[in-house]
Amino acid sequence: MNEQDKFARFGRVNRRTLMLGATAGLAVAALPKQLFAQSAPALVTSIRSLSNPYHAVWKMGAEAFAKSAGLEHVTLVSEGNSEKGIADIKAMLAKTGGNMVLNSDPNDTPDARPIVEACAKAGATVVTQWNKPADLHPKDFTPNYVSHIEFDGIASGKQIAEILFNAIGGSGGIVALGGMISTTAAIERKKGLDEALAANPNIKLLDFQVANWKSTEAFDLTSNLLTRFGDDIKGIWAANDDMGVGALEALRAEDLAGKVPIVGVDGIKSAVDAVRKGEFACTVTSDPFWQGGMGLAIGYNAHVKKFDPAKEPPEHREFYGKALLISKDNVEEYYKTNVEAQPTLDWNDLWGRVTGAIRT
């Protein structure tokens, strides 16, 4: 198995590969202008961090599409710094003269506006995912702002909560770990949890803590929560898998792994492994491999005039993508087709996973 294959396996990223990817994101200014042919656009991915297994798989999807299209690809990483994320994108716009397709997961919701405005001014094409202000719409920046993609966080947050409640027998105390409070996904998933709690009065939320999507913060918070609440904690709800994995490590330290079920979102390999072992009750995946590749594919097809964004229906401009629940019922099949093997996608099927227009 070569290094690229290993990297594709949902988070199994060795240090050498990770550092190479991170360096590519940090070295925009050093890229020679002649790297980008005048006739072909550069493909650019902007994500938070390659240390997050979810975004590591996102990068692999982006590289798979770029390879299929025979185009250059650059990954930019903000490392959670909004100013850096926006500055790196502007540097790439200058480097490419605007002949560029950007697939961006903005670090924070307000970041989307300056990113989109910069791309429109430079004549570049942009697709955003997850985070944008409610009053920012692709139709207002046609043709440069092609699409915005989200996954229904309220539905996911509620679904995993209900599975957690069932896993603990329908009653008892739980603790919850939230993502960055200013991001759309974190806000929506928390709303989903709240809806599930309102419908299940025998479940008590002992505490809700923000772990900022990070396993390290989740480990520390969960350790403290275990000290505070002890055996009263019957289950753990996590707004993403990386935090769930941090919580799992805290449970392992107390010999509670598999005894206190965890639920999360993202479908990273460590979470899928935990579902197989009975340590996670479930996870939900938005398929970051698809997000990384298809976000670029949609932008690229618009950039080269294969379709006109202005003529597309609303559900192609701002839409929810299809999410998949991974539980004990389907985890083995999912493992075979998405973890042991790199997914095979039809990059021409631009709208195949659209489930509907985003609610406004």
Side-chain angles (χ1 to χ4, degrees), residues 11-247:
R12 285 185 289 182
V13 187
N14 66 38
R15 180 175 177 81
R16 177 178 178 273
T17 304
L18 181 59
M19 292 304 293
L20 285 172
T23 301
L26 294 170
V28 175
L31 292 171
K33 289 186 177 181
Q34 56 267 36
L35 176 65
F36 306 106
Q38 290 298 313
S39 59
L43 302 181
V44 180
T45 292
S46 177
I47 48 180
R48 184 171 293 116
S49 175
L50 290 174
S51 63
N52 182 311
Y54 168 79
H55 277 137
V57 177
W58 180 306
K59 177 178 183 284
M60 287 307 303
E63 290 178 339
F65 171 70
K67 182 178 180 181
S68 74
L71 297 172
E72 300 287 351
H73 175 254
V74 174
T75 300
L76 309 177
V77 289
S78 69
E79 298 298 353
N81 184 321
S82 293
E83 290 185 2
K84 179 184 183 304
I86 295 168
D88 282 354
I89 289 169
K90 289 181 176 179
M92 279 302 305
L93 289 168
K95 185 68 66 175
T96 61
N99 189 22
M100 172 178 135
V101 175
L102 173 67
N103 182 28
S104 174
D105 179 6
N107 180 63
D108 211 344
T109 298
D111 299 357
R113 185 175 296 279
I115 289 170
V116 168
E117 290 177 346
C119 287
K121 183 178 180 180
T125 300
V126 58
V127 171
T128 58
Q129 301 200 42
W130 288 122
N131 299 309
K132 75 169 183 65
D135 62 350
L136 177 66
H137 303 289
K139 66 181 181 180
D140 297 330
F141 290 87
T142 299
N144 302 93
Y145 191 6
V146 182
S147 297
H148 176 73
I149 305 169
E150 291 181 24
F151 295 80
D152 193 338
I154 296 175
S156 294
K158 185 176 182 179
Q159 183 180 37
I160 64 172
E162 290 171 342
I163 290 173
L164 179 65
F165 300 168
N166 288 333
I168 65 174
S171 65
I174 67 164
V175 294
L177 302 169
M180 291 175 61
I181 58 174
S182 58
T183 59
T184 302
I187 293 168
E188 288 195 348
R189 291 171 195 174
K190 176 60 163 55
K191 286 181 180 178
L193 170 63
D194 290 340
E195 287 186 7
L197 287 167
N200 291 270
N202 291 328
I203 301 294
K204 181 180 180 181
L205 179 61
L206 301 173
D207 201 359
F208 179 92
Q209 294 285 337
V210 173
N212 294 307
W213 305 125
K214 297 178 181 178
S215 61
T216 51
E217 292 189 28
F219 174 85
D220 293 337
L221 287 171
T222 304
S223 298
N224 292 334
L225 291 168
L226 288 169
T227 299
R228 285 174 57 196
F229 296 108
D231 293 341
D232 288 341
I233 299 176
K234 305 303 180 184
I236 300 175
W237 181 97
N240 83 336
D241 285 342
D242 209 31
M243 295 187 297
V245 170

